[in-house]
Amino acid sequence: MDDATTSTPSPLDPASGPGFDPAALRERYRRERDRRLRPDGNGQYRRAAGEFGYYAKDPHAARVEREPLTDRVEALVVGGGFGGLLTGARLREAGVESVRMMDEAGDFGGTWYWDRYPGIHCDIESYVYMPLLEEVGYVPQWRYAPGEEIRRHAVAIAEHYGLYRDAVFQTRATELRWDEDGAEWIVRTDRGDVMRARYVVVSSGTLTQPKLPGIPGIEDYRGHTFHTSRWDYGYTGGDADGGLTGLVDKRVAVVGTGATGLQAVPHVARDAQHLYVFQRTPSTVDVRDNRPTDPEWAASLEPGWQRERMENFLAILSGEEVDEDLTQDRWTSTARLQRKMITGAVDTTLDPAERERLDELADFTTMNEIRARVDDLVTDPATAEALKPWYRYMCKRPGFSDQYLQAFNRANVTLVDTADHGGITRMTETGVVVGEDEYPVDCIIFATGFETGVSGVVSGTLPVYGRGGTPLGEAWARGPRTLHGFYSHGFPNLFHLGAMQNANSVNFVHILQEQAGHIAAVVAAAGKAGARYVEPTREAEDAWIATLREVAVDNSEFLAGCTPGYYNGEGKRRAAPTSYSPGPVAFHRLLAEWREGGMDDVLVAPDTEQRELAEG
Ligand code: NDP
């Protein structure tokens, strides 16, 4: 044990000293990072496609055949998760009747359609995460809602706003091409559709494509295997509440201990004959404290309560001043630490060095509490030691559970620490090998996360051709170019949702809700002004990119000090954030002011258009 890092944490009081040795902790974090760094970065993963395509197959719906469509709609929304649903809803509220929703899945829900693994819950408080609660007339049953409740809520939103009407599911957009003559987009799909739409909104999500570790021999394994985002209940039995009766006589491997692993492991542990959890980097596992919604509290809610609560949560996480913390959970109490990754307002009364010193001290204190919790909950000292995370709080997505750590006290659960080997060494026909040790298993469940491309328009999986047939990839060859992250010059009437050049927050649904409202407001304004296109001027785009650079907070040093993970491109990314650094509250204020300013930067009226054409 490392004495410098295990002394009792004391409150953050610079006068009395931190009660531990920061230099020793820094050194320990550096050692832990170094032993995990791999030269191959993201190259270590394999796509769940081609030979591994079966890992991405939809287990929830059989394919439904249909004839290709060649019709025309006013607005086409690619993506039926919360981003797409919110956009559809807000467009409807703005009076746009002809809206087509499109998704590869068999229904609405996005992440919550695909991910149905046992134990799935939202780790953000449901009252601020689940959108449009007041509009739909619903109060979640739990403080942190189970996945199925959230999926049903997505369906309820779609029903409430009539979004099933023209929806197409099990359909992937394969090309967007601007048709200058018709002033509309031609949308091609993998179903042979050639649809036309005046506006296209792309909300295809960021963590959607399951990825697998490129473990040598992965293709040799002959047992049963699947990815958590395509849980195979046909094999395991049970449902998202557990009861995995199919596993009672099975030796099961779970690979990965991120947010998903934390939620699934307790259920597999309960039901499997034996569970091996293959861990590379331990997650932080903080207090969850889930509980049913108090009916008296629900009855006392006044109109406008959800917006107020969402704004309050976002403000706290963004470092804004608030009178009260309405959520009061471990997200809000660790808000200061989160700004290392998700930037926001900072205390300018302190000089930057002093601020960094206090930030780091607060980080060490929280991480010491999290490590002490492992000792409190895990009986075997060696297992407890292996479960302790040694890095700064926001190096990885924070985790929460009141059941995960306890699962390792069960006789039928073994933690296999792979850190010294950079992960699993190889797989054989019958099991998993770490170093020299082989673990024969009947089933391997990959909780290994998702590809982290921005949306398909950036990664190239959805090719886009704008004015004059220019590919978006060419226009963005030196980096994405947008105004406020939403739209680009040369690509009229095309909107993007996502964090890129826009805002970011852990409660990303809140960001999506603001984006959806903004897009609907712009489309409505275009209609009112008789504008033919929504398209930013090149000057507006240049100015926005310059602003992003000017206000960027450089967190490259922090990222470089982190253990590898998707937050820092597996140890390779050193770039400053691509979102608006002053944070979402400031960004939403900026957008509101811009809208009030008349939106001239993007509305191209017929007379402007003629003038531009005349000027060549
Ligand atoms: P993550 O990418 O967070 O975790 C993947 C896990 O697989 C890590 O523990 C990783 O280890 C491990 N791994 C990868 N390769 C290997 C290997 N070769 N050998 C051993 N282990 C390996 O994926 P998740 O699905 O857990 O979470 C993804 C994101 O989805 C979350 O960060 C969160 O944003 C979201 N999510 C949100 C939830 C919510 O409630 N809102 C719930 C679940 C997920 P290492 O860390 O060393 O790379």
Side-chain angles (χ1 to χ4, degrees), residues 36 38 44-45 111-112 115 117 120-124 129 145 150 207 211-215 227-228 254-263 278-283 288 331 391 396-398 418 422-425 446-450 452 506 563-567 570:
R36 288 181 168 82
R38 301 169 48 127
Q44 69 183 282
Y45 295 108
T111 297
W112 305 102
D115 282 80
Y117 56 82
I120 184 168
H121 277 70
C122 183
D123 64 9
I124 309 282
Y129 177 85
I150 305 173
L207 292 169
K211 72 179 181 342
L212 300 163
I215 301 168
H227 188 274
T228 45
V254 169
V255 181
T257 56
T260 300
L262 257 49
Q263 295 183 342
F278 291 88
Q279 171 191 276
R280 194 165 59 178
T281 315
S283 280
R288 176 68 315 174
W331 282 113
Y391 45 80
K396 290 202 171 276
R397 164 92 178 193
T418 71
I424 290 167
T425 309
F446 288 104
T448 44
F450 303 88
T452 49
V506 291
T563 45
Y566 79 85
Y567 276 7
E570 301 297 332

Side-chain angles (χ1 to χ4, degrees), residues 25-342:
L25 272 172
R26 258 178 238 128
E27 174 56 19
R28 172 89 197 240
Y29 287 7
R30 194 191 54 72
R31 282 205 317 267
E32 293 289 333
R33 178 205 58 187
D34 288 352
R35 79 180 174 124
R36 288 181 168 82
L37 277 176
R38 301 169 48 127
D40 49 0
N42 266 319
Q44 69 183 282
Y45 295 108
R46 295 174 85 147
R47 299 200 78 192
E51 184 190 355
F52 292 109
Y54 61 90
Y55 279 102
K57 234 179 130 265
D58 185 351
H60 310 304
R63 183 180 160 98
V64 178
E65 296 304 332
R66 66 167 174 81
E67 290 300 311
L69 291 164
T70 53
D71 56 356
R72 185 186 178 285
V73 292
E74 185 69 0
L76 188 143
V77 181
V78 180
F82 279 134
L85 281 167
L86 284 158
T87 308
R90 295 298 188 221
L91 284 172
R92 276 276 150 76
E93 285 174 350
V96 182
E97 273 309 306
S98 169
V99 178
R100 164 159 298 145
M101 308 292 296
M102 179 185 290
D103 203 290
E104 282 185 66
D107 201 348
F108 288 110
T111 297
W112 305 102
Y113 173 87
W114 294 108
D115 282 80
R116 303 191 196 189
Y117 56 82
I120 184 168
H121 277 70
C122 183
D123 64 9
I124 309 282
E125 197 203 56
S126 57
Y127 319 126
V128 299
Y129 177 85
M130 289 168 70
L132 306 180
L133 289 174
E134 291 190 72
E135 287 84 342
V136 173
Y138 186 67
V139 178
Q141 293 172 21
W142 287 85
R143 187 178 185 202
Y144 301 96
E148 182 58 12
E149 188 180 1
I150 305 173
R151 193 188 68 76
R152 287 202 186 133
H153 183 62
V155 168
I157 292 173
E159 283 168 348
H160 185 83
Y161 288 94
L163 297 175
Y164 277 101
R165 200 195 306 153
D166 288 313
V168 285
F169 294 110
Q170 301 182 330
T171 303
R172 185 167 55 85
T174 52
E175 184 189 277
L176 307 179
R177 191 174 284 275
W178 176 249
D179 173 26
E180 196 68 61
D181 297 335
E184 59 193 3
W185 287 93
I186 303 172
V187 181
R188 291 193 159 76
T189 76
D190 63 351
R191 292 296 192 112
D193 305 308
V194 187
M195 308 160 174
R196 289 175 170 267
R198 178 153 184 229
Y199 294 106
V200 171
V201 182
V202 180
S203 175
S204 47
T206 48
L207 292 169
T208 53
Q209 182 69 25
K211 72 179 181 342
L212 300 163
I215 301 168
I218 186 171
E219 58 283 347
D220 297 335
Y221 180 65
R222 294 285 160 260
H224 199 76
T225 174
F226 56 89
H227 188 274
T228 45
S229 69
R230 307 288 188 273
W231 194 273
D232 185 354
Y233 284 108
Y235 179 81
T236 65
D239 56 26
D241 294 325
L244 311 174
T245 49
L247 298 183
V248 291
D249 56 352
K250 303 286 190 307
R251 299 159 301 174
V252 180
V254 169
V255 181
T257 56
T260 300
L262 257 49
Q263 295 183 342
V265 157
H267 290 279
V268 182
R270 206 168 295 135
D271 294 324
Q273 182 198 84
H274 200 95
L275 167 62
Y276 297 94
V277 179
F278 291 88
Q279 171 191 276
R280 194 165 59 178
T281 315
S283 280
T284 52
V285 189
D286 209 338
V287 174
R288 176 68 315 174
D289 193 18
N290 199 6
R291 48 178 181 256
T293 299
D294 174 2
E296 266 181 49
W297 172 78
S300 74
L301 294 168
E302 302 276 347
W305 73 268
Q306 191 184 22
R307 173 150 286 278
E308 188 195 353
R309 200 173 179 95
M310 286 171 74
E311 300 286 0
N312 179 263
F313 186 75
L314 193 74
I316 293 171
L317 264 56
S318 312
E320 306 282 328
E321 289 290 323
V322 292
D323 293 335
E324 152 183 44
D325 174 359
L326 294 173
T327 303
Q328 295 195 31
D329 70 357
R330 290 297 280 163
W331 282 113
T332 56
S333 65
T334 59
R336 174 189 195 137
L337 312 181
Q338 293 162 41
R339 286 194 289 285
K340 286 289 160 211
M341 265 308 294
I342 296 163

Side-chain angles (χ1 to χ4, degrees), residues 501-522:
Q501 301 187 352
N502 197 291
N504 202 356
S505 167
V506 291
N507 189 13
F508 199 65
V509 173
H510 187 160
I511 304 296
L512 293 170
Q513 181 159 316
E514 294 292 330
Q515 294 180 344
H518 180 82
I519 290 170
V522 172

Side-chain angles (χ1 to χ4, degrees), residues 369-415:
E369 284 165 13
I370 284 169
R371 288 185 285 263
R373 186 166 187 250
V374 181
D375 282 329
D376 288 346
L377 297 176
V378 178
T379 320
D380 174 53
T383 306
E385 211 45 40
L387 284 164
K388 288 181 190 167
W390 296 100
Y391 45 80
R392 284 187 66 173
Y393 186 67
M394 277 309 276
C395 283
K396 290 202 171 276
R397 164 92 178 193
F400 309 87
S401 176
D402 296 335
Q403 299 160 27
Y404 175 77
L405 292 169
Q406 294 88 329
F408 294 94
N409 294 333
R410 299 178 64 100
N412 69 328
V413 177
T414 306
L415 177 71

